[in-house]
Amino acid sequence: MNLLLFGPPGSGKGTQAQFLSVEYRIPQISTGDILRDDVKRATPLGRQAEVFMKRGDLVPDELMVEMIRERIRRADCSGGFMLDGFPRTVPQAEALDQMLDSIGQRIDRLLSLHVDAEELVTRLTERWTCPSCSLTYHPASNPPRDDQRCDADGAGLIRREDDNAETARRRAQVYFERTYPILDFYRPRGLVVEVDGNGPIQEVRNRVKVALQGEPRAA
Ligand code: AMP
């Protein structure tokens, strides 16, 4: 199964991706996580990407395409993969098609999560993230068991630098202007599965499960 995950920042993509990665036994490839790691390690890619990420803007397509090309060639992707955060522009989607064609593969499904706009900014500005495994927490709907520590690995939770209100709004705007239109690129192929991402994590998880079992259809 080669799966694409779509949804605005704060839609719960990363959380659902972690469940799906276990269920389908495919690696979750989060371009945001890869970039944050590069920024932390001050690699050439990290240094170039940092300025865009701080503003909530997209990192240039050529950098992203090269990153994904290298990542999906690795052995752990031979049985399928899930892309969380890629493609985010039409040129990225076109480049992904070419890449997959050249290795005799294709996208099987695109899961798109929909969440009300006002809910998104609240979720982002209140969320805590584990810097080591990227699990996210929310004080009301998904608090950590031990205050400020990740349930999975005990690391101290942090606020992502781009989860402030101003950058969160910019990221949502960029999503709706540049990324959401890509759904129309994939729709004619009948691959798009749309799911209501509002409400508790477990409810969304159940909706996602049911939706992916059936034929692609609108929410
Ligand atoms: P995310 O963790 O998916 O919210 O991504 C965090 C930031 O990384 C985004 O706001 C962008 O600056 C950058 N980013 C992640 N994926 C991409 C992509 N496919 N294309 C361009 N920029 C990206």
Side-chain angles (χ1 to χ4, degrees):
M1 167 81 117
N2 294 333
L3 183 63
L4 300 184
L5 266 186
F6 271 56
S11 60
K13 246 181 322 133
T15 303
Q16 297 302 326
Q18 278 166 343
F19 296 140
L20 290 169
S21 173
V22 174
E23 270 162 31
Y24 288 100
R25 296 199 194 91
I26 49 178
Q28 171 197 0
I29 300 174
S30 157
T31 45
D33 283 349
I34 298 174
L35 287 169
R36 278 183 288 281
D37 184 55
D38 274 78
V39 169
K40 202 160 41 177
R41 292 185 292 115
T43 65
L45 170 64
R47 283 201 296 269
Q48 290 179 83
E50 190 172 16
V51 51
F52 298 97
M53 296 172 77
K54 273 199 173 139
R55 294 200 300 251
D57 285 335
L58 295 180
V59 173
D61 287 337
E62 31 326 336
L63 295 177
M64 299 309 301
V65 168
E66 273 324 297
M67 174 210 277
I68 286 295
R69 192 189 307 282
E70 189 275 320
R71 183 62 188 86
I72 63 178
R73 269 205 209 120
R74 293 201 207 152
D76 65 340
C77 292
S78 60
F81 55 79
M82 174 173 34
L83 298 183
D84 160 12
F86 189 97
R88 258 169 149 111
T89 63
V90 171
Q92 289 184 14
E94 289 168 346
L96 179 63
D97 268 357
Q98 282 172 8
M99 239 180 262
L100 293 178
D101 265 359
S102 72
I103 52 174
Q105 291 211 39
R106 60 184 165 80
I107 298 301
D108 298 305
R109 282 292 168 89
L110 185 159
L111 171 68
S112 173
L113 290 175
H114 296 263
V115 174
D116 297 337
E118 62 276 26
E119 170 78 12
L120 292 173
V121 175
T122 311
R123 283 194 190 180
L124 288 177
T125 52
E126 292 185 356
R127 88 174 166 185
W128 291 90
T129 301
C130 174
S132 127
C133 72
S134 304
L135 275 179
T136 56
Y137 298 88
H138 190 277
S141 58
N142 179 33
R145 279 194 299 270
D146 179 4
D147 200 25
Q148 305 306 346
R149 302 232 150 250
C150 177
D151 291 354
D153 58 27
L157 301 177
I158 56 155
R159 285 252 199 246
R160 260 173 59 175
E161 210 181 332
D162 57 352
D163 278 350
N164 62 73
E166 189 190 343
T167 312
R169 282 202 186 88
R170 171 83 192 130
R171 286 159 61 209
Q173 183 194 2
V174 168
Y175 177 81
F176 288 111
E177 283 176 10
R178 301 199 51 200
T179 303
Y180 191 67
I182 316 179
L183 288 184
D184 290 334
F185 178 88
Y186 290 104
R187 265 204 187 91
R189 301 186 211 171
L191 305 179
V192 177
V193 177
E194 297 184 73
V195 171
D196 177 3
N198 291 290
I201 291 173
Q202 201 53 43
E203 276 180 26
V204 178
R205 183 181 182 181
N206 291 339
R207 277 180 225 136
V208 166
K209 245 185 173 172
V210 171
L212 284 177
Q213 277 158 10
E215 287 303 307
R217 61 182 163 74

Short mmCIF file of all heavy atoms in Angstrom, two decimals, residues 13 31-33 35-36 52-53 56-59 64 85-86 88 92 160 162 171, ligand 1:
data_model
loop_
_atom_site.label_atom_id
_atom_site.label_comp_id
_atom_site.label_asym_id
_atom_site.label_seq_id
_atom_site.Cartn_x
_atom_site.Cartn_y
_atom_site.Cartn_z
N LYS A 13 -3.12 14.56 11.11
CA LYS A 13 -2.44 13.70 10.12
C LYS A 13 -1.36 12.83 10.76
O LYS A 13 -1.30 11.64 10.55
CB LYS A 13 -1.70 14.62 9.14
CG LYS A 13 -2.18 14.61 7.76
CD LYS A 13 -1.36 15.55 6.88
CE LYS A 13 -0.93 16.82 7.52
NZ LYS A 13 0.39 17.27 7.41
N THR A 31 7.69 14.53 5.98
CA THR A 31 8.72 15.46 5.48
C THR A 31 9.01 16.54 6.53
O THR A 31 10.15 16.99 6.64
CB THR A 31 8.27 16.09 4.15
OG1 THR A 31 6.92 16.51 4.26
CG2 THR A 31 8.43 15.12 3.01
N GLY A 32 8.00 16.93 7.30
CA GLY A 32 8.23 17.92 8.36
C GLY A 32 9.21 17.39 9.39
O GLY A 32 10.13 18.09 9.81
N ASP A 33 9.06 16.12 9.80
CA ASP A 33 9.97 15.53 10.79
C ASP A 33 11.39 15.44 10.22
O ASP A 33 12.37 15.71 10.93
CB ASP A 33 9.51 14.10 11.17
CG ASP A 33 8.33 14.12 12.14
OD1 ASP A 33 8.00 15.21 12.66
OD2 ASP A 33 7.74 13.05 12.35
N LEU A 35 12.73 17.32 7.93
CA LEU A 35 13.30 18.67 7.86
C LEU A 35 13.71 19.17 9.24
O LEU A 35 14.79 19.76 9.40
CB LEU A 35 12.29 19.64 7.25
CG LEU A 35 12.04 19.52 5.74
CD1 LEU A 35 10.83 20.35 5.34
CD2 LEU A 35 13.27 19.93 4.96
N ARG A 36 12.84 18.93 10.24
CA ARG A 36 13.19 19.41 11.60
C ARG A 36 14.47 18.75 12.09
O ARG A 36 15.30 19.38 12.74
CB ARG A 36 12.03 19.16 12.59
CG ARG A 36 10.96 20.24 12.51
CD ARG A 36 9.85 20.03 13.53
NE ARG A 36 8.99 18.90 13.20
CZ ARG A 36 8.01 18.95 12.30
NH1 ARG A 36 7.74 20.06 11.66
NH2 ARG A 36 7.28 17.88 12.04
N PHE A 52 12.39 29.12 5.63
CA PHE A 52 11.01 28.94 5.13
C PHE A 52 10.13 28.40 6.24
O PHE A 52 9.00 28.84 6.43
CB PHE A 52 11.00 27.98 3.94
CG PHE A 52 11.79 28.47 2.77
CD1 PHE A 52 13.10 28.05 2.55
CD2 PHE A 52 11.23 29.38 1.88
CE1 PHE A 52 13.82 28.51 1.47
CE2 PHE A 52 11.96 29.85 0.80
CZ PHE A 52 13.26 29.41 0.59
N MET A 53 10.64 27.44 6.98
CA MET A 53 9.83 26.79 8.02
C MET A 53 9.46 27.78 9.13
O MET A 53 8.35 27.77 9.64
CB MET A 53 10.60 25.61 8.60
CG MET A 53 10.84 24.53 7.58
SD MET A 53 11.92 23.25 8.17
CE MET A 53 10.82 22.32 9.23
N GLY A 56 6.53 29.67 8.16
CA GLY A 56 5.34 28.89 7.84
C GLY A 56 5.16 28.74 6.34
O GLY A 56 4.09 28.37 5.87
N ASP A 57 6.22 29.04 5.57
CA ASP A 57 6.16 28.91 4.11
C ASP A 57 6.68 27.54 3.68
O ASP A 57 7.32 26.84 4.47
CB ASP A 57 7.02 30.00 3.45
CG ASP A 57 6.34 31.36 3.52
OD1 ASP A 57 5.09 31.39 3.61
OD2 ASP A 57 7.05 32.38 3.50
N LEU A 58 6.45 27.22 2.41
CA LEU A 58 6.92 25.94 1.92
C LEU A 58 8.39 26.01 1.52
O LEU A 58 8.85 27.01 0.97
CB LEU A 58 6.09 25.50 0.70
CG LEU A 58 4.62 25.21 0.98
CD1 LEU A 58 3.92 24.79 -0.31
CD2 LEU A 58 4.46 24.12 2.04
N VAL A 59 9.08 24.93 1.77
CA VAL A 59 10.47 24.78 1.35
C VAL A 59 10.42 24.53 -0.18
O VAL A 59 9.51 23.86 -0.67
CB VAL A 59 11.10 23.58 2.11
CG1 VAL A 59 12.48 23.25 1.60
CG2 VAL A 59 11.10 23.88 3.61
N MET A 64 12.64 19.47 -1.82
CA MET A 64 11.73 18.45 -1.29
C MET A 64 11.71 17.20 -2.18
O MET A 64 11.69 16.07 -1.70
CB MET A 64 10.30 19.02 -1.18
CG MET A 64 10.18 20.19 -0.26
SD MET A 64 10.89 19.91 1.37
CE MET A 64 9.99 18.50 1.95
N GLY A 85 2.76 14.75 4.52
CA GLY A 85 3.34 16.08 4.28
C GLY A 85 3.96 16.24 2.90
O GLY A 85 4.59 17.25 2.62
N PHE A 86 3.80 15.27 2.04
CA PHE A 86 4.30 15.33 0.66
C PHE A 86 3.34 14.55 -0.22
O PHE A 86 2.93 13.47 0.17
CB PHE A 86 5.70 14.70 0.57
CG PHE A 86 6.36 14.92 -0.77
CD1 PHE A 86 7.27 15.95 -0.96
CD2 PHE A 86 6.06 14.08 -1.84
CE1 PHE A 86 7.87 16.15 -2.20
CE2 PHE A 86 6.65 14.29 -3.08
CZ PHE A 86 7.56 15.32 -3.26
N ARG A 88 3.05 18.66 -1.51
CA ARG A 88 2.34 19.84 -1.01
C ARG A 88 2.09 20.85 -2.12
O ARG A 88 1.48 21.89 -1.87
CB ARG A 88 3.15 20.50 0.08
CG ARG A 88 2.60 20.17 1.50
CD ARG A 88 3.62 20.65 2.46
NE ARG A 88 3.20 21.09 3.72
CZ ARG A 88 3.45 20.45 4.86
NH1 ARG A 88 3.97 19.26 4.85
NH2 ARG A 88 3.16 21.02 6.01
N GLN A 92 5.32 19.07 -7.02
CA GLN A 92 5.77 17.93 -6.19
C GLN A 92 4.98 16.67 -6.56
O GLN A 92 5.53 15.57 -6.64
CB GLN A 92 5.60 18.23 -4.70
CG GLN A 92 6.57 19.27 -4.16
CD GLN A 92 6.44 19.48 -2.65
OE1 GLN A 92 5.83 18.69 -1.93
NE2 GLN A 92 7.04 20.56 -2.17
N ARG A 160 6.48 23.23 19.32
CA ARG A 160 7.18 23.46 18.06
C ARG A 160 7.25 24.96 17.79
O ARG A 160 6.28 25.67 18.03
CB ARG A 160 6.44 22.76 16.92
CG ARG A 160 7.07 21.46 16.52
CD ARG A 160 6.24 20.72 15.54
NE ARG A 160 6.00 21.46 14.31
CZ ARG A 160 5.36 20.97 13.26
NH1 ARG A 160 4.90 19.73 13.30
NH2 ARG A 160 5.17 21.69 12.18
N ASP A 162 7.05 26.58 15.11
CA ASP A 162 6.06 27.10 14.16
C ASP A 162 4.63 26.87 14.63
O ASP A 162 3.68 27.10 13.88
CB ASP A 162 6.30 26.54 12.76
CG ASP A 162 6.28 25.01 12.71
OD1 ASP A 162 6.23 24.38 13.79
OD2 ASP A 162 6.32 24.46 11.60
N ARG A 171 0.51 28.82 7.99
CA ARG A 171 0.61 27.45 7.48
C ARG A 171 -0.74 26.95 6.97
O ARG A 171 -0.82 26.27 5.95
CB ARG A 171 1.16 26.53 8.58
CG ARG A 171 2.65 26.74 8.80
CD ARG A 171 3.09 26.26 10.17
NE ARG A 171 2.90 24.86 10.40
CZ ARG A 171 2.68 24.33 11.60
NH1 ARG A 171 2.63 25.09 12.67
NH2 ARG A 171 2.52 23.04 11.74
P1 AMP B 1 4.72 19.79 8.93
O1 AMP B 1 5.43 19.15 10.08
O2 AMP B 1 4.22 18.80 7.91
O3 AMP B 1 3.64 20.73 9.41
O4 AMP B 1 5.83 20.67 8.15
C1 AMP B 1 6.50 21.73 8.80
C2 AMP B 1 7.11 22.65 7.77
O5 AMP B 1 8.05 21.93 6.95
C3 AMP B 1 6.12 23.25 6.78
O6 AMP B 1 5.47 24.41 7.29
C4 AMP B 1 7.05 23.57 5.61
O7 AMP B 1 7.81 24.74 5.87
C5 AMP B 1 8.02 22.41 5.62
N1 AMP B 1 7.57 21.29 4.74
C6 AMP B 1 7.22 20.03 5.12
N2 AMP B 1 6.89 19.28 4.05
C7 AMP B 1 7.03 20.08 2.98
C8 AMP B 1 6.83 19.88 1.56
N3 AMP B 1 6.40 18.71 1.05
N4 AMP B 1 7.08 20.95 0.75
C9 AMP B 1 7.52 22.12 1.21
N5 AMP B 1 7.71 22.38 2.53
C10 AMP B 1 7.48 21.36 3.41
#
